[in-house]
Amino acid sequence: MKGISGMPESRCLSVAQWHELARTGLAPPMRIPLDGDSMLPLIRRGIDRVTVVPLKRPVRVGDVVLFESPPGRYVVHRVFRLRLDSVQTLGDHCAWPDAWMPQSSVLGLIVQAERGRWRIPLDTDAACVVGRAWMAFLPCRRVYLNMRYRVGWMLRKMGLRR
């Protein structure tokens, strides 16, 4: 939709308001910045934005989704496992998956990440394959994150890092 100046019109909605619209099928795509580091290196805190759309298909392993858990807390993670009506997610920078939750907790699909002028599509088959490959390295990621934590702890003990 174009505004008076000919520029695309922008509206501000909270995630909760967007979710209510998504339930009725009237939600527009929503661009939001993320607040945490759990999706590094794909999405950087406060710098990159993601585009969320209502779910129009069942989620697949490797999809990046917006979900609510617990109520009132909105999180963007990758779908790690599926079973019947439950889903388990995992942040790209996390060592352990989230608890199983009902698929109804998934509010929307992240279709794109924006990094400066770059647009990274996340709803394609290729993006799902890359996501699955990244999750396959989970054991290596655990070792890396553990080592990084221990080195940081030692540097802080020696007074070389805050």
Side-chain angles (χ1 to χ4, degrees), residues 105-122:
S105 296
V106 176
L107 308 178
L109 180 67
I110 307 300
V111 295
Q112 175 177 278
E114 299 174 25
R115 178 167 292 174
R117 287 189 265 163
W118 289 76
R119 303 291 179 261
I120 305 163
L122 300 176

Side-chain angles (χ1 to χ4, degrees), residues 69-86:
S69 179
R73 180 174 176 260
Y74 301 98
V75 181
V76 170
H77 279 174
R78 194 177 296 278
V79 174
F80 183 57
R81 292 186 190 130
L82 293 168
R83 68 177 180 206
L84 297 179
D85 291 334
S86 299

Side-chain angles (χ1 to χ4, degrees), residues 36-54:
D37 293 326
S38 66
M39 286 302 290
L40 283 172
L42 178 64
I43 303 164
R44 300 172 299 176
R45 172 200 311 232
I47 298 171
D48 301 334
R49 292 184 180 276
V50 296
T51 302
V52 187
V53 298

Side-chain angles (χ1 to χ4, degrees), residues 45-73:
R45 172 200 311 232
I47 298 171
D48 301 334
R49 292 184 180 276
V50 296
T51 302
V52 187
V53 298
L55 282 174
K56 293 187 174 158
R57 62 166 173 79
V59 294
R60 302 178 297 194
V61 171
D63 280 342
V64 180
V65 296
L66 171 72
F67 62 93
E68 184 177 24
S69 179
R73 180 174 176 260

Side-chain angles (χ1 to χ4, degrees), residues 80-81 90-91 94-97 133-143:
F80 183 57
R81 292 186 190 130
L90 174 68
C94 297
W96 302 101
W134 180 253
M135 288 186 298
F137 284 102
L138 182 59
C140 298
R141 192 177 346 159
R142 286 181 180 147
V143 170

Side-chain angles (χ1 to χ4, degrees), residues 141-159:
R141 192 177 346 159
R142 286 181 180 147
V143 170
Y144 163 75
L145 291 172
N146 188 14
M147 295 276 293
R148 196 178 83 185
Y149 170 78
R150 290 177 187 272
V151 168
W153 180 82
M154 288 189 313
L155 290 174
R156 282 189 297 280
K157 282 290 196 185
M158 294 174 12

